[in-house]
Amino acid sequence: MNDRKITVHCLSCAIVEGTVQPNGGTIYETKFFHAHQDVAYPARGLVILASKRHVKCLDELTEEELNDYIHTLHLIRKAQRKVLGIEQVYYFYFYNEDTTHHFHTWMVPRYDWMDQFGRSIESVRPVLLHARQKRNDQDEIKKIIEAIHALKNYLSTSN
């Protein structure tokens, strides 16, 4: 959402540790997970839910972490619908498990402006690139920051 360049070994670890502050700050945090707006793709309500522990795969989560993950995913989705009016969301846990990436799930909202790219899974990459290249202006960023604060407020009072 801005032009800053970040070089870290693992962005999720850096965010969880507080080394990197995502735009708008933390949306929601639990003992095991951290939720924030994606820093690269300006789409209102796009949330990244990352494990605090550096694991790469869903089956590496403990039972307690897994229960927290599902509960937190559910809370955030409920907030997206209730606070931002988001009716449809794509969920992605799509990084290869043979990389150094940190376990996280993208919650990508679906908006009418995205229809020009189709409605299949293949449409998500062009949608995200379009958001980065064409919707990365001050007005859109202001709306995204407002959405982050609205989600934070709702989630801080509803768990």
Coordinates of all heavy atoms in Angstrom, one line a residue, residues 25-88:
G25 N -1.5 -1.5 11.1 CA -1.2 -2.3 12.3 C -1.9 -3.6 12.4 O -2.4 -4.1 11.4
T26 N -1.9 -4.2 13.5 CA -2.5 -5.5 13.8 C -4.0 -5.4 13.8 O -4.6 -4.5 14.4 CB -2.1 -6.1 15.1 OG1 -0.6 -6.2 15.1 CG2 -2.7 -7.4 15.4
I27 N -4.7 -6.3 13.0 CA -6.2 -6.3 13.0 C -6.7 -7.1 14.2 O -7.6 -6.7 14.9 CB -6.7 -6.9 11.7 CG1 -6.4 -5.9 10.5 CG2 -8.2 -7.2 11.8 CD1 -6.7 -6.5 9.2
Y28 N -6.0 -8.2 14.4 CA -6.5 -9.1 15.5 C -5.3 -10.0 15.9 O -4.5 -10.4 15.0 CB -7.7 -9.9 15.1 CG -8.3 -10.7 16.2 CD1 -9.1 -10.1 17.2 CD2 -8.2 -12.1 16.2 CE1 -9.7 -10.8 18.2 CE2 -8.9 -12.8 17.2 CZ -9.6 -12.2 18.2 OH -10.2 -12.9 19.2
E29 N -5.2 -10.4 17.2 CA -4.1 -11.2 17.6 C -4.6 -12.2 18.7 O -5.4 -11.8 19.6 CB -3.0 -10.3 18.1 CG -1.7 -11.0 18.4 CD -0.6 -10.1 18.6 OE1 -0.8 -8.8 18.7 OE2 0.6 -10.5 18.7
T30 N -4.1 -13.4 18.6 CA -4.4 -14.4 19.7 C -3.1 -14.9 20.2 O -2.0 -14.4 19.8 CB -5.3 -15.6 19.1 OG1 -4.4 -16.3 18.3 CG2 -6.5 -15.1 18.4
K31 N -3.2 -15.9 21.1 CA -1.9 -16.5 21.6 C -1.1 -17.1 20.5 O 0.1 -17.1 20.5 CB -2.3 -17.5 22.6 CG -1.2 -18.3 23.3 CD -1.7 -19.3 24.3 CE -0.5 -20.1 24.9 NZ -1.0 -21.1 25.8
F32 N -1.8 -17.6 19.4 CA -1.1 -18.3 18.4 C -1.1 -17.7 17.0 O -0.3 -18.1 16.1 CB -1.7 -19.7 18.2 CG -1.7 -20.5 19.5 CD1 -2.8 -20.8 20.2 CD2 -0.4 -21.0 20.0 CE1 -2.8 -21.6 21.4 CE2 -0.4 -21.7 21.2 CZ -1.6 -22.0 21.9
F33 N -1.9 -16.7 16.8 CA -2.1 -16.1 15.4 C -2.1 -14.6 15.4 O -2.5 -14.0 16.4 CB -3.4 -16.7 14.8 CG -3.2 -18.1 14.4 CD1 -3.6 -19.1 15.3 CD2 -2.7 -18.5 13.2 CE1 -3.4 -20.4 15.0 CE2 -2.5 -19.8 12.8 CZ -2.8 -20.8 13.7
H34 N -1.8 -14.1 14.3 CA -1.7 -12.6 14.1 C -2.4 -12.3 12.8 O -2.1 -13.0 11.7 CB -0.2 -12.2 14.0 CG 0.0 -10.8 13.8 ND1 -0.1 -10.2 12.6 CD2 0.3 -9.8 14.7 CE1 0.2 -8.9 12.8 NE2 0.4 -8.6 14.0
A35 N -3.3 -11.4 12.8 CA -4.0 -11.0 11.5 C -3.7 -9.6 11.2 O -3.7 -8.7 12.0 CB -5.5 -11.1 11.7
H36 N -3.4 -9.3 9.9 CA -3.1 -8.0 9.4 C -3.5 -7.9 7.9 O -3.8 -8.9 7.3 CB -1.6 -7.7 9.5 CG -0.7 -8.7 8.9 ND1 -0.4 -9.9 9.5 CD2 -0.2 -8.7 7.6 CE1 0.4 -10.6 8.6 NE2 0.5 -9.9 7.5
Q37 N -3.6 -6.7 7.5 CA -3.9 -6.4 6.0 C -2.7 -6.8 5.3 O -1.5 -6.5 5.7 CB -4.2 -4.9 5.9 CG -4.2 -4.4 4.4 CD -5.5 -4.7 3.7 OE1 -6.6 -4.8 4.3 NE2 -5.4 -5.0 2.4
D38 N -2.8 -7.3 4.1 CA -1.7 -7.6 3.3 C -1.0 -6.3 2.9 O -1.7 -5.4 2.5 CB -2.1 -8.4 2.0 CG -0.9 -8.8 1.2 OD1 -0.4 -9.8 1.4 OD2 -0.6 -8.0 0.3
V39 N 0.3 -6.3 3.0 CA 1.1 -5.0 2.7 C 1.3 -4.8 1.3 O 1.6 -3.7 0.9 CB 2.4 -5.0 3.5 CG1 2.2 -5.0 5.0 CG2 3.3 -6.2 3.1
A40 N 1.2 -5.8 0.4 CA 1.5 -5.6 -1.0 C 0.3 -5.4 -1.9 O 0.4 -4.8 -2.9 CB 2.2 -6.9 -1.5
Y41 N -0.9 -5.8 -1.5 CA -2.1 -5.7 -2.3 C -3.2 -4.9 -1.7 O -3.8 -5.4 -0.7 CB -2.6 -7.1 -2.6 CG -1.5 -8.0 -3.3 CD1 -0.9 -9.0 -2.6 CD2 -1.2 -7.8 -4.6 CE1 0.1 -9.7 -3.2 CE2 -0.2 -8.5 -5.3 CZ 0.4 -9.5 -4.5 OH 1.4 -10.3 -5.1
P42 N -3.4 -3.7 -2.1 CA -4.4 -2.8 -1.5 C -5.8 -3.2 -1.9 O -6.4 -2.8 -2.9 CB -4.0 -1.4 -2.0 CG -3.3 -1.7 -3.3 CD -2.7 -3.0 -3.2
A43 N -6.4 -4.1 -1.2 CA -7.8 -4.5 -1.4 C -8.5 -4.5 0.0 O -8.0 -5.1 0.9 CB -7.9 -5.9 -1.9
R44 N -9.5 -3.6 0.1 CA -10.1 -3.4 1.4 C -10.6 -4.7 2.0 O -11.4 -5.5 1.3 CB -11.3 -2.4 1.1 CG -12.1 -2.0 2.3 CD -13.1 -1.0 1.9 NE -14.1 -0.8 2.9 CZ -15.3 -1.5 2.9 NH1 -15.5 -2.4 2.0 NH2 -16.1 -1.2 3.9
G45 N -10.2 -5.0 3.2 CA -10.7 -6.2 3.9 C -9.8 -7.5 3.6 O -10.2 -8.5 4.1
L46 N -8.8 -7.4 2.8 CA -7.9 -8.5 2.6 C -7.1 -8.8 3.8 O -6.3 -7.9 4.2 CB -7.0 -8.3 1.4 CG -6.3 -9.5 0.8 CD1 -5.8 -9.2 -0.6 CD2 -5.1 -9.9 1.6
V47 N -7.3 -9.9 4.4 CA -6.6 -10.2 5.7 C -5.7 -11.4 5.6 O -6.0 -12.4 4.9 CB -7.7 -10.5 6.8 CG1 -7.0 -10.9 8.1 CG2 -8.6 -9.3 7.0
I48 N -4.5 -11.3 6.2 CA -3.6 -12.4 6.3 C -3.7 -12.9 7.7 O -3.5 -12.1 8.7 CB -2.2 -12.0 6.0 CG1 -2.0 -11.3 4.6 CG2 -1.2 -13.1 6.1 CD1 -2.3 -12.3 3.4
L49 N -3.9 -14.2 7.9 CA -3.9 -14.8 9.2 C -2.7 -15.7 9.3 O -2.6 -16.7 8.6 CB -5.2 -15.6 9.5 CG -5.3 -16.3 10.8 CD1 -5.2 -15.2 12.0 CD2 -6.6 -17.1 10.9
A50 N -1.7 -15.3 10.1 CA -0.4 -16.0 10.2 C -0.2 -16.6 11.5 O -0.5 -16.0 12.6 CB 0.7 -15.0 9.9
S51 N 0.4 -17.8 11.5 CA 0.7 -18.4 12.8 C 1.9 -17.6 13.4 O 2.8 -17.1 12.7 CB 1.1 -19.9 12.6 OG 2.3 -20.0 11.8
K52 N 1.9 -17.5 14.7 CA 3.0 -16.9 15.4 C 4.3 -17.8 15.4 O 5.4 -17.3 15.3 CB 2.7 -16.5 16.8 CG 1.7 -15.3 16.8 CD 1.4 -14.9 18.3 CE 0.6 -13.6 18.3 NZ 0.3 -13.2 19.7
R53 N 4.0 -19.0 15.5 CA 5.1 -20.0 15.5 C 5.5 -20.2 14.0 O 4.6 -20.4 13.2 CB 4.7 -21.3 16.2 CG 5.8 -22.2 16.5 CD 5.4 -23.3 17.4 NE 4.3 -24.1 17.0 CZ 4.4 -25.3 16.3 NH1 5.6 -25.7 16.0 NH2 3.3 -25.9 15.9
H54 N 6.8 -20.3 13.7 CA 7.2 -20.5 12.3 C 7.0 -21.9 12.0 O 7.9 -22.8 12.2 CB 8.6 -20.0 12.1 CG 9.0 -20.0 10.7 ND1 9.0 -18.9 9.9 CD2 9.4 -21.0 9.8 CE1 9.4 -19.2 8.7 NE2 9.6 -20.5 8.6
V55 N 5.9 -22.2 11.3 CA 5.7 -23.6 10.8 C 5.3 -23.3 9.3 O 4.9 -22.2 8.9 CB 4.6 -24.3 11.5 CG1 5.0 -24.6 13.0 CG2 3.2 -23.6 11.5
K56 N 5.4 -24.4 8.5 CA 5.2 -24.2 7.1 C 3.9 -24.9 6.7 O 3.4 -24.7 5.6 CB 6.3 -24.8 6.3 CG 7.6 -24.0 6.4 CD 8.6 -24.4 5.4 CE 9.4 -25.5 5.9 NZ 10.4 -26.0 5.0
C57 N 3.4 -25.8 7.5 CA 2.3 -26.7 7.0 C 1.2 -26.8 8.1 O 1.5 -26.8 9.3 CB 2.9 -28.1 6.8 SG 1.8 -29.3 6.2
L58 N 0.0 -26.9 7.6 CA -1.2 -27.0 8.5 C -1.0 -28.2 9.5 O -1.4 -28.0 10.6 CB -2.4 -27.2 7.6 CG -3.8 -27.3 8.3 CD1 -4.1 -26.0 8.9 CD2 -4.8 -27.7 7.3
D59 N -0.5 -29.3 9.1 CA -0.4 -30.4 10.0 C 0.7 -30.3 11.0 O 0.9 -31.1 11.9 CB -0.3 -31.8 9.2 CG 1.0 -31.9 8.5 OD1 1.8 -31.0 8.4 OD2 1.2 -33.1 7.9
E60 N 1.5 -29.2 11.0 CA 2.5 -28.9 12.0 C 1.9 -28.2 13.2 O 2.5 -28.0 14.2 CB 3.6 -28.1 11.4 CG 4.5 -28.8 10.4 CD 5.6 -28.0 9.8 OE1 6.0 -27.0 10.5 OE2 6.0 -28.3 8.7
L61 N 0.6 -27.7 13.0 CA 0.0 -27.0 14.1 C -0.4 -28.0 15.2 O -0.9 -29.1 14.9 CB -1.3 -26.3 13.6 CG -1.1 -25.2 12.6 CD1 -2.5 -24.6 12.1 CD2 -0.3 -24.0 13.2
T62 N -0.3 -27.6 16.4 CA -0.8 -28.4 17.6 C -2.3 -28.4 17.6 O -2.9 -27.5 16.9 CB -0.3 -27.9 18.9 OG1 -0.9 -26.6 19.1 CG2 1.2 -27.8 18.9
E63 N -2.9 -29.2 18.3 CA -4.4 -29.2 18.4 C -4.9 -27.9 18.9 O -5.9 -27.3 18.4 CB -4.9 -30.3 19.4 CG -4.9 -31.7 18.7 CD -5.8 -31.8 17.5 OE1 -7.0 -31.4 17.6 OE2 -5.4 -32.4 16.5
E64 N -4.2 -27.3 19.9 CA -4.6 -26.0 20.5 C -4.5 -24.9 19.4 O -5.4 -24.1 19.3 CB -3.8 -25.7 21.7 CG -4.3 -24.5 22.5 CD -3.4 -24.2 23.8 OE1 -2.4 -24.9 24.0 OE2 -3.9 -23.4 24.5
E65 N -3.4 -24.9 18.7 CA -3.2 -23.9 17.6 C -4.3 -24.1 16.5 O -4.8 -23.1 16.0 CB -1.8 -24.1 17.0 CG -0.7 -23.6 17.8 CD 0.7 -24.0 17.3 OE1 0.8 -25.1 16.7 OE2 1.6 -23.2 17.6
L66 N -4.6 -25.4 16.2 CA -5.6 -25.6 15.1 C -6.9 -25.1 15.5 O -7.6 -24.5 14.7 CB -5.6 -27.1 14.8 CG -6.5 -27.6 13.7 CD1 -6.1 -26.9 12.4 CD2 -6.5 -29.1 13.5
N67 N -7.3 -25.4 16.8 CA -8.6 -24.9 17.3 C -8.6 -23.3 17.3 O -9.6 -22.7 16.9 CB -8.9 -25.4 18.7 CG -9.2 -26.9 18.7 OD1 -9.7 -27.4 17.7 ND2 -8.9 -27.5 19.8
D68 N -7.5 -22.7 17.6 CA -7.4 -21.3 17.6 C -7.5 -20.7 16.2 O -8.2 -19.7 15.9 CB -6.1 -20.8 18.3 CG -6.1 -19.3 18.5 OD1 -7.1 -18.7 19.0 OD2 -5.0 -18.7 18.2
Y69 N -6.9 -21.4 15.3 CA -6.9 -21.0 13.9 C -8.3 -21.0 13.3 O -8.7 -20.0 12.7 CB -6.0 -22.0 13.1 CG -6.1 -21.9 11.6 CD1 -5.5 -20.8 10.9 CD2 -6.7 -22.9 10.8 CE1 -5.6 -20.7 9.5 CE2 -6.8 -22.8 9.5 CZ -6.2 -21.7 8.8 OH -6.3 -21.6 7.5
I70 N -9.0 -22.1 13.5 CA -10.4 -22.2 13.0 C -11.3 -21.1 13.7 O -12.0 -20.4 13.0 CB -11.0 -23.6 13.2 CG1 -10.2 -24.6 12.4 CG2 -12.5 -23.6 12.9 CD1 -10.2 -24.4 10.9
H71 N -11.2 -21.0 14.9 CA -12.0 -20.0 15.7 C -11.7 -18.6 15.2 O -12.6 -17.8 14.9 CB -11.7 -20.1 17.2 CG -12.4 -19.1 18.0 ND1 -13.8 -19.2 18.2 CD2 -12.0 -18.0 18.6 CE1 -14.2 -18.2 18.9 NE2 -13.1 -17.4 19.2
T72 N -10.4 -18.3 15.0 CA -10.0 -16.9 14.6 C -10.4 -16.7 13.1 O -10.9 -15.6 12.8 CB -8.4 -16.8 14.8 OG1 -8.1 -17.0 16.1 CG2 -8.0 -15.4 14.4
L73 N -10.2 -17.6 12.3 CA -10.7 -17.5 10.9 C -12.2 -17.2 10.9 O -12.6 -16.3 10.1 CB -10.4 -18.8 10.2 CG -10.2 -18.8 8.7 CD1 -9.1 -18.0 8.2 CD2 -10.0 -20.3 8.2
H74 N -12.9 -17.9 11.7 CA -14.4 -17.7 11.8 C -14.7 -16.3 12.3 O -15.6 -15.6 11.7 CB -15.0 -18.8 12.7 CG -16.4 -18.6 12.9 ND1 -17.0 -18.0 14.0 CD2 -17.5 -19.0 12.1 CE1 -18.3 -18.0 13.9 NE2 -18.6 -18.6 12.8
L75 N -14.0 -15.8 13.3 CA -14.3 -14.5 13.8 C -14.0 -13.4 12.8 O -14.8 -12.5 12.6 CB -13.4 -14.2 15.1 CG -13.8 -14.8 16.4 CD1 -12.8 -14.5 17.5 CD2 -15.2 -14.3 16.8
I76 N -12.9 -13.5 12.1 CA -12.5 -12.5 11.1 C -13.5 -12.5 10.0 O -13.9 -11.5 9.5 CB -11.1 -12.7 10.6 CG1 -10.1 -12.5 11.8 CG2 -10.7 -11.8 9.4 CD1 -8.7 -12.9 11.5
R77 N -13.9 -13.7 9.5 CA -14.9 -13.8 8.4 C -16.2 -13.1 8.8 O -16.8 -12.4 8.0 CB -15.1 -15.2 8.0 CG -16.1 -15.4 6.9 CD -15.6 -14.6 5.6 NE -16.7 -14.6 4.6 CZ -17.4 -13.5 4.3 NH1 -17.2 -12.3 4.9 NH2 -18.4 -13.6 3.4
K78 N -16.6 -13.4 10.0 CA -17.8 -12.8 10.5 C -17.7 -11.3 10.6 O -18.6 -10.5 10.2 CB -18.1 -13.3 12.0 CG -19.4 -13.1 12.5 CD -19.5 -13.9 13.8 CE -20.7 -13.5 14.6 NZ -20.8 -14.2 15.9
A79 N -16.5 -10.8 11.0 CA -16.3 -9.3 11.0 C -16.3 -8.7 9.6 O -16.8 -7.6 9.4 CB -15.0 -9.0 11.7
Q80 N -15.7 -9.4 8.7 CA -15.7 -9.0 7.3 C -17.1 -8.7 6.8 O -17.4 -7.8 6.1 CB -14.9 -9.9 6.3 CG -13.4 -10.0 6.5 CD -12.8 -11.1 5.7 OE1 -13.3 -12.2 5.7 NE2 -11.7 -10.8 5.0
R81 N -18.0 -9.7 7.1 CA -19.3 -9.6 6.6 C -20.1 -8.5 7.3 O -20.7 -7.7 6.7 CB -20.1 -10.9 6.8 CG -21.5 -10.9 6.2 CD -22.2 -12.2 6.5 NE -21.5 -13.4 6.1 CZ -21.5 -14.0 4.9 NH1 -22.2 -13.4 4.0 NH2 -20.9 -15.1 4.7
K82 N -20.0 -8.5 8.7 CA -20.8 -7.6 9.5 C -20.3 -6.2 9.4 O -21.2 -5.3 9.2 CB -20.8 -8.1 10.9 CG -21.7 -7.2 11.8 CD -22.1 -8.0 13.1 CE -22.9 -7.1 13.9 NZ -24.3 -7.5 13.9
V83 N -19.1 -5.9 9.4 CA -18.5 -4.6 9.4 C -18.3 -4.0 8.1 O -18.5 -2.8 7.8 CB -17.2 -4.6 10.3 CG1 -16.6 -3.2 10.3 CG2 -17.5 -5.0 11.7
L84 N -17.8 -4.8 7.1 CA -17.4 -4.3 5.8 C -18.4 -4.7 4.7 O -18.3 -4.3 3.6 CB -16.0 -4.8 5.4 CG -14.9 -4.4 6.4 CD1 -13.6 -4.9 5.9 CD2 -14.8 -2.9 6.6
G85 N -19.4 -5.5 5.1 CA -20.4 -5.9 4.1 C -19.8 -6.9 3.0 O -20.4 -7.0 1.9
I86 N -18.8 -7.6 3.3 CA -18.1 -8.5 2.4 C -18.9 -9.8 2.3 O -19.0 -10.5 3.3 CB -16.7 -8.7 2.7 CG1 -15.9 -7.4 2.6 CG2 -16.1 -9.8 1.8 CD1 -14.5 -7.5 3.2
E87 N -19.5 -10.1 1.2 CA -20.4 -11.3 1.1 C -19.6 -12.5 0.7 O -20.0 -13.7 0.9 CB -21.5 -11.0 0.1 CG -22.5 -10.0 0.6 CD -23.2 -10.5 1.9 OE1 -23.5 -11.7 2.1 OE2 -23.4 -9.6 2.8
Q88 N -18.5 -12.4 -0.1 CA -17.8 -13.5 -0.5 C -16.3 -13.3 -0.3 O -15.7 -12.2 -0.5 CB -18.0 -13.8 -2.0 CG -19.4 -14.1 -2.3 CD -19.7 -14.2 -3.8 OE1 -19.1 -13.5 -4.6 NE2 -20.6 -15.0 -4.2

